């Protein structure tokens, strides 16, 4: 069965960088079976109703400003998969999850920056999905769980976000790591590895420095969704964790 993954997308410039984390993503295809399709939840696509893309070919959205000119020339013309989009809607419906199709939206940098690193040829169909910060954490998990059967069809489920993502707290010149960011991620690791969903669903009250690490939940939500997609096996494995700018976490979790 194909694992599901949480992949932190960091800053938009990640796709141009060279370090241990980008090396991991660039070699992603070497240690995983090539999927038939990719289902990706991006923190940068928020909708009040769970939305499923249904396009023939994606445009590239440059939803950022002030970065290198080269970033604005990158494209990721992945194809969509309308039959998979319809199947996803059906799976949601069976679990009582309301959803809608979107036939126009391209891929934002939370999607294409990650995909460009792991599958640079854009030769695998992609279905992008939105997130909704106003749902409960239990509901986020159930959204991922509703799609867990796709893994049996060699469909790769990815949540793209960030566990510590506080843009107001970044130190762009820092070469060290803030202790509070590591403390939050250490707590998170202990709960993921023991599949302690009770604690995870209540992380804002239980985790140290939760409000500093997650001032707004849209980047944390994809982790819960990817974990939910791995509910059948309930095994979590940390593949990488590092930091940029003092506390921006770059982590990759595999759920089997």
């Amino acid at each position: 069965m194909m694992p599901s993954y949480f992949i932190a997308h960091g800053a938009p410039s990640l796709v141009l960088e060279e370090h241990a984390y980008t090396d991991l993503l660039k070699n992603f295809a070497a240690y995983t079976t090539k999927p038939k399709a990719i289902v990706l939840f991006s923190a940068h696509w928020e909708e009040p109703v769970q939305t499923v893309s249904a396009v023939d070919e994606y445009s590239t959205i440059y939803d950022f400003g002030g970065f290198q000119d080269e970033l604005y020339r990158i494209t990721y013309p992945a194809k969509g998969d309308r039959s998979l989009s319809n199947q996803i809607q059906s799976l949601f419906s069976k679990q009582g999850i309301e959803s809608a199709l979107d036939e126009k939206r391209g891929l934002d940098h939370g999607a294409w920056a990650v995909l460009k690193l792991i599958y640079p040829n854009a030769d695998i169909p992609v279905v992008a999905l939105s997130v909704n910060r106003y749902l409960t954490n239990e509901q986020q998990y159930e959204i991922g769980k509703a799609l867990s059967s796709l893994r049996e069809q060699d469909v790769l489920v990815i949540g793209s976000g960030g566990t510590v993502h506080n843009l107001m707290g970044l130190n762009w010149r820092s070469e060290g790591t803030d202790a509070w960011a590591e403390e939050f991620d250490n707590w998170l690791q202990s709960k993921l590895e023991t599949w302690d969903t009770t604690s995870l669903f209540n992380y804002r009250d239980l985790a140290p420095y939760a409000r500093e690490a997650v001032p707004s939940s849209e980047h944390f939500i994809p982790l819960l969704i990817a974990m939910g997609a791995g509910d059948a096996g309930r095994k979590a494995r940390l593949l990488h964790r590092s930091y940029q700018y003092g506390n921006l976490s770059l982590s990759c979790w595999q759920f089997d």
Side-chain angles (χ1 to χ4, degrees), residues 67-88:
F67 287 88
Q68 303 96 314
D69 291 343
E70 184 179 352
L71 276 178
Y72 302 90
R73 296 191 292 270
I74 294 176
T75 61
Y76 197 81
K79 305 292 185 184
D81 185 334
R82 287 178 180 264
S83 63
L84 180 56
S85 298
N86 291 333
Q87 182 183 0
I88 289 170

Side-chain angles (χ1 to χ4, degrees), residues 186-202:
N186 286 337
W187 181 92
L188 186 61
Q189 180 175 352
S190 70
K191 305 309 177 187
L192 287 167
E193 289 179 341
T194 57
W195 215 272
D196 183 355
T197 55
T198 300
S199 295
L200 287 167
F201 294 160
N202 293 283

Side-chain angles (χ1 to χ4, degrees), residues 53-176:
S53 64
V55 303
D56 294 321
E57 182 175 316
Y58 288 96
S59 60
T60 304
I61 302 173
Y62 306 100
D63 52 332
F64 48 82
F67 287 88
Q68 303 96 314
D69 291 343
E70 184 179 352
L71 276 178
Y72 302 90
R73 296 191 292 270
I74 294 176
T75 61
Y76 197 81
K79 305 292 185 184
D81 185 334
R82 287 178 180 264
S83 63
L84 180 56
S85 298
N86 291 333
Q87 182 183 0
I88 289 170
Q89 268 210 302
S90 177
L91 290 170
F92 282 149
S93 179
K94 290 178 181 177
Q95 299 303 318
I97 299 169
E98 182 184 359
S99 65
L101 294 178
D102 181 290
E103 299 182 343
K104 296 181 179 179
R105 194 178 191 276
L107 294 176
D108 58 65
H109 83 271
W112 64 256
V114 167
L115 295 176
K116 187 74 172 179
L117 286 167
I118 63 178
Y119 295 112
N121 296 327
D123 57 351
I124 301 172
V126 175
V127 175
L129 291 100
S130 66
V131 299
N132 180 358
R133 71 173 77 185
Y134 299 106
L135 300 179
T136 67
N137 291 326
E138 291 89 343
Q139 288 172 310
Q140 311 290 2
Y141 186 92
E142 290 300 317
I143 286 171
K145 188 176 177 180
L147 302 185
S148 61
S149 63
L150 295 178
R151 297 169 50 213
E152 300 173 5
Q153 303 169 37
D154 291 332
V155 173
L156 175 61
V157 179
I158 295 175
S160 173
T163 57
V164 180
H165 190 273
N166 186 339
L167 298 185
M168 298 300 294
L170 297 183
N171 181 348
W172 294 92
R173 297 182 179 181
S174 175
E175 295 184 359

Side-chain angles (χ1 to χ4, degrees), residues 3-62:
S4 58
Y5 291 88
F6 170 78
I7 300 177
H9 58 249
S13 54
L14 179 74
V15 72
L16 301 178
E17 297 169 5
E18 295 185 5
H19 43 65
Y21 185 57
T22 57
D23 286 347
L24 171 81
L25 298 182
K26 289 175 182 177
N27 289 301
F28 189 87
Y31 58 83
T32 57
T33 302
K34 185 175 182 178
K36 292 180 180 178
I38 300 168
V39 170
L40 188 146
F41 292 83
S42 171
H44 288 273
W45 184 13
E46 294 191 68
E47 298 286 353
V49 173
Q50 179 62 63
T51 308
V52 183
S53 64
V55 303
D56 294 321
E57 182 175 316
Y58 288 96
S59 60
T60 304
I61 302 173
Y62 306 100

Side-chain angles (χ1 to χ4, degrees), residues 175-189:
E175 295 184 359
T177 301
D178 294 336
W180 63 264
E182 286 192 296
E183 191 169 341
F184 175 81
D185 267 339
N186 286 337
W187 181 92
L188 186 61
Q189 180 175 352

